[in-house]
Amino acid sequence: MKPLLPIAVLLALAACSPQPTEKPAEAPAASAAAAPAAAAPKPPKADIPAGDYTLDKTHASLTFKVSHLGFSNYTASFADFDAKLRFDQANAAASSLEATIEPKSLTLPAPPPGFQKELTGPQWLDAARYPTITFKSTKIETTGPDTGKVTGDLTLHGVTKPVTLDVTYNGGYAGHPMDPNARIGFSAKGAFKRSDFGIAYGLPAPGATMGVGDEVQVEIEAEFSGPPLKASPAS
């Protein structure tokens, strides 16, 4: 608080000083059309090569949320997952995505003893019986300059159902001297009902919230590495 003391003293002196008898000239009004703040720079999207891209696991996350008693959205994640992307910036329909998730890699915030084992056990993910969760795209379409939808078959708990992800394309580059491969990045969100996949334990009664919600909200952040940067022609 010490840095505020000199300011307080100056304000007090100004309040006690004699006021001028003449009205001072008014300062010119600020321009109504102030210059807008500069927009944050966005990564480029030009010259991104088409081809096969692999997930950069160092810069990827997969989290999900479910309602807990209606009081909060319990949030957890998977630590072990992978994805392969065939990417064509100029033709979304020609792109495709396949992903795999290891359910035993479920990561929980401050779990009580035995909780992680319970969630990967028979009443929930049943990871021993269904050791892999997979997603395979069936349709990719654009909805705007930087947005799109990825629809695919999600296989979870031994059941396969279609799920759609809303995707934002964050940009990329063809390569960099310190990163000599093409790189692209995405953010994605989606939702599905766990009961559709045979995971109905702990569902609230109709019209109630006492339990664990049926809707699972998924959030993904991912960067992919692609074809190598083309060498510049020799001088």
Side-chain angles (χ1 to χ4, degrees):
M1 297 299 293
K2 289 183 179 180
L4 295 180
L5 290 176
I7 299 175
V9 172
L10 290 173
L11 290 174
L13 290 174
C16 296
S17 62
Q19 300 299 313
T21 57
E22 294 184 4
K23 185 179 179 181
E26 294 184 357
S31 172
K42 293 184 177 181
K45 296 184 177 68
D47 302 322
I48 307 300
D52 293 328
Y53 285 72
T54 57
L55 182 68
D56 177 1
K57 296 182 181 181
T58 303
H59 300 99
S61 63
L62 172 56
T63 61
F64 66 89
K65 300 177 181 179
V66 289
S67 172
H68 178 250
L69 306 176
F71 296 151
S72 68
N73 287 314
Y74 185 78
T75 304
S77 62
F78 291 102
D80 189 358
F81 59 96
D82 202 357
K84 295 180 180 180
L85 173 65
R86 176 157 290 180
F87 180 71
D88 188 339
Q89 182 175 256
N91 185 6
S95 302
S96 62
L97 173 70
E98 292 186 21
T100 58
I101 304 166
E102 170 58 71
K104 288 184 178 179
S105 71
L106 179 66
T107 303
L108 308 173
F115 190 45
Q116 203 267 359
K117 185 177 181 180
E118 177 184 348
L119 293 185
T120 57
Q123 292 179 318
W124 297 91
L125 290 173
D126 201 358
R129 187 176 179 186
Y130 306 109
T132 306
I133 301 169
T134 63
F135 179 85
K136 185 174 182 179
S137 68
T138 56
K139 182 180 181 181
I140 297 179
E141 57 186 326
T142 57
T143 57
D146 304 320
T147 58
K149 290 184 179 293
V150 177
T151 300
D153 291 330
L154 175 65
T155 300
L156 167 65
H157 200 251
V159 178
T160 300
K161 295 276 187 180
V163 170
T164 298
L165 300 173
D166 292 312
V167 180
T168 299
Y169 175 34
N170 298 323
Y173 51 57
H176 186 277
M178 298 183 66
D179 183 17
N181 287 76
R183 178 174 293 272
I184 50 179
F186 301 90
S187 301
K189 293 182 178 182
F192 60 87
K193 291 184 177 181
R194 61 186 178 94
S195 60
D196 289 344
F197 294 85
I199 308 175
Y201 183 77
L203 285 176
T209 60
M210 186 59 66
V212 179
D214 195 8
E215 183 179 79
V216 180
Q217 301 175 40
V218 180
E219 296 185 3
I220 302 166
E221 297 290 335
E223 293 183 24
F224 291 82
S225 181
L229 177 65
K230 293 182 179 180
S232 299
S235 301

